[in-house]
Amino acid sequence: MKLQSMIWKELWQRPTPMLTSLLAVTLGVTALVAIQNITVFSERKIAGDMESLGANVLVLPPSVTLQDYYSADMHGHTMPEEFVTRLALARMPGVENLAPKLCVEASVDTIPVTLTGILPRSEFQEKAAWQGLSMLTNAVGSDRGCCATKADVGVDDDPNSLATTRTIQELGERDLILGRDVAAQLGSGVGDTLTLFDEEFEVITVLPETGTIDDGRIFAHLHSVQDLSSAGPVVNVIEIMACCEDAAGGLITNLSAELPDTRIITIAQVVETQVAVNGLMSRLSWGFFSILLLVGGASIASVMYANVTERRKEIGTLMALGASRNFVTRMFLGKATLLGLAGGLGGFVVGSIVAAVLGPQLLGVEVQPMPMLLGVGMATATVVAVAASFLPARRAAGLDPCLVFNDA
Amino acid sequence: MYDLNSVTKTYVRRGHTVTALDDTNLEIPDNDFVAIIGPSGSGKTTLLSVLGGMLAPTSGNVFIDGESLYDLSIEERTALRSTKIGFVFQSFNLIPWLTACENVQIPLMLSGQSAERQRSRALEMLDRVGLADRTDHHPSELSQGQQQRVALARTLANDPQVILADEPTGNLDSETREQVMTYLNEFHRDGRTIIMVTHDAGTAAFAKRTIRLVSGVAKSIVSPEAA
């Protein structure tokens, strides 16, 4: 028999109060693991999305409040399409490409869909040619000082380029591009004909999965969407693919000067907002963690004190038989360590499961367990449990062994 | 074995000083069998605690094998208790969530014996007290007499020189009492010193000599018939 086996056997003799304490510790670690897990994977997803997005500046109507970058074109507010032409002709340094969008609600065979009007690059080239600027290699802006981005290196005639570069070279007035999810929902593929606003459109491609809101959208020529929805020559948003930080830095001032009645948002701001939200979640998770661990620690301390009182005679007997104060202290702290480790492990497992279930449901984020949180959870829970048990253990070690005698 | 020189132990209770042992002198040689009797509050348990190295006297000296017990550190006294002194309690004081065998293993574990040695020695001791078939039983599954025999086996585990018994038959019926005292006599015959506190004259009669404590003073020493 060893100290460890004594601790283990004793633990199972009085399981209820210990399990209650364990639950509090486990909940603390669960909260931390679940929220941290979701937060970290959410940040990674945002980073990945931004990486694949290409666009890094948004021009929005002034009244729009930006809550979510991806739904920034679903606010119902509009601005004149003429702004696009002004930007194209301004040829600002750093502007690599423009992607105006107009989103309207539509239906295909009674299935509601979001129809997004986009303007192909060929339209800008026509405008540039009409303005006598065709000698320039870049049809939209000046490439002075620009570095290569996905927006300018991947554009070709392939309509699938929309998925990665936010732009497309050619798009006919009765052509449609389907997002992956909406294609699956409608059961449509390349070459199929779909009816929108009583007009027939031909599906020219189905985009590869992007993991963004675009997967659920149908894309058509901007002017077709404007005409059929009777929206007029307006857009909801102009996405700007600015090529590098230096250009984008000065670009905001130029854009604001060119389009004073708009709201200019950079991806940096969007990311900062999202990162701030994630930071808040992260701090909240530490807050929950701390509060629940304090509750757990108080519970453990209370249970340990009760345990010492309950086991006075038992402890006295052990001391009479030769148990040192150090042995008695280790007996209680060993028990606390076991509770902390179990609480940390349990919290990690439950928290990881909660994150894996809630991550996709709440935020659309696939979450994997993070081994680092196992270490953090177990270490913190153990420290709290041991700290909470320290005074009860000292009290136990200080018991008078004479209490084992009959008269004591 | 034991030599107590002018040992006094006083307590302060609610502002009043209570004298439990009053200038007691006592010599207990090796292989003695002493019964300590006296009325409640006469200092019997205090004397046993002092002899067990668990209660320092207010004044005086306690020597064990020529060594001043209370000049040792707490850790040294604990170690000495683990190797030299065995205890028998009135209410047995078995750990309820350990089996008979594991209860006997406790002193062996505390003195750092290996798990194998602990088990083999515990089984040997339980066999000696006639409980070889009850090794895996918990105390609640044993009779009072069997529980006290497990406690006796636990006392013997580290082969102590001296056994301090606090009312060892107080919770037992007459038949079981006889059985337990027979074992204590047997341990005495093995060469151990037995110091036993008891209220019962019949139990005291098993001892070689009896010390009567009155108000903390070993006032009268009678010589009962040895069992």
Side-chain angles (χ1 to χ4, degrees), chain A residues 1 9 13 314 319 406-407, chain B residues 45 90 97 102 118 166:
Chain A
M1 192 166 61
K9 281 171 181 284
Q13 284 304 305
E314 196 177 297
M319 293 173 97
N406 193 37
D407 292 351
Chain B
T45 299
Q90 179 179 354
W97 37 272
E102 288 166 338
Q118 287 176 34
D166 180 32

Side-chain angles (χ1 to χ4, degrees), chain B residues 133-146:
Chain B
D133 57 343
R134 294 284 190 272
T135 56
D136 292 327
H137 286 62
H138 285 86
S140 60
E141 297 163 338
L142 299 170
S143 70
Q144 301 269 296
Q146 287 171 329

Side-chain angles (χ1 to χ4, degrees), chain A residues 1-3 5-7 9-10 13-14 311 313-325 327 331 400-408, chain B residues 41 44-45 48-49 54-55 74 78-79 81-82 85 87 89-91 93 95-98 102-103 105-107 109-110 115 118 154 158 166-167:
Chain A
M1 192 166 61
K2 292 181 178 174
L3 173 64
S5 56
M6 278 192 78
I7 292 169
K9 281 171 181 284
E10 196 278 330
Q13 284 304 305
R14 302 170 176 92
R311 296 173 66 189
K313 197 134 192 168
E314 196 177 297
I315 296 161
T317 302
L318 289 173
M319 293 173 97
L321 294 176
S324 63
R325 291 183 173 188
F327 178 89
M331 199 164 63
D400 181 359
C402 296
L403 60 84
V404 291
F405 292 118
N406 193 37
D407 292 351
Chain B
K44 300 188 300 294
T45 299
L48 214 54
S49 302
M54 298 189 292
L55 186 66
I74 291 177
T78 301
R81 226 171 18 245
S82 171
I85 304 172
F87 288 90
F89 308 101
Q90 179 179 354
S91 50
N93 292 21
I95 309 294
W97 37 272
L98 295 178
E102 288 166 338
N103 266 286
Q105 284 177 250
I106 291 172
M109 175 193 68
L110 294 173
Q118 287 176 34
R154 182 179 65 186
N158 271 338
D166 180 32
E167 300 273 10

